[in-house]
Amino acid sequence: MLRFIFRLAAMVALSIAVIMAVIDTTRSVAASTLIMTPLNASWLAVSPDTRAAFETLVRAKASPMVWDGIVAWVLAQPGFAVFAVLAFLLYAIGYRRKRRNAEFAPSP
């Protein structure tokens, strides 16, 4: 069940990555130049209140250094790339290896 949740979350993250990539592609074609929207700009456009609440939470619970060093860097990256990496990591966590049965393996 837990693997299913990780794979479902990976699918949602991949869907968001594709949507963000399509938006950036459309803007790039319209502007005739490469446009990659940072995750921070996308988040502020969708929900500035949750972005401010997240910053307050990280600064209060972890450290201002965590916000300035790690989280700010991630938010400066293109949104589609962040969600694509997140989708890959979630899928890797939820991946189930196929079992090898020596009993059913073909003999050479």
Side-chain angles (χ1 to χ4, degrees), residues 18-100:
V18 168
I19 290 169
M20 294 180 89
V22 167
I23 290 171
D24 282 351
T25 302
T26 305
R27 288 180 181 164
S28 295
V29 169
S32 295
T33 185
L34 182 62
I35 296 177
M36 292 190 289
T37 308
L39 181 59
N40 191 36
S42 297
W43 194 354
L44 286 172
V46 173
S47 180
D49 295 336
T50 58
R51 163 55 178 75
F54 180 68
E55 180 177 358
T56 304
L57 177 78
V58 170
R59 286 185 183 273
K61 298 293 183 186
S63 168
M65 295 296 289
V66 172
W67 178 265
D68 295 334
I70 299 168
V71 178
W73 181 82
V74 171
L75 290 175
Q77 303 310 309
F80 72 88
V82 173
F83 277 100
V85 168
L86 180 64
F88 175 74
L89 292 175
L90 289 170
Y91 184 78
I93 292 170
Y95 180 73
R96 181 183 309 190
R97 290 185 179 176
K98 294 183 180 182
R99 295 182 182 172
R100 289 187 187 176

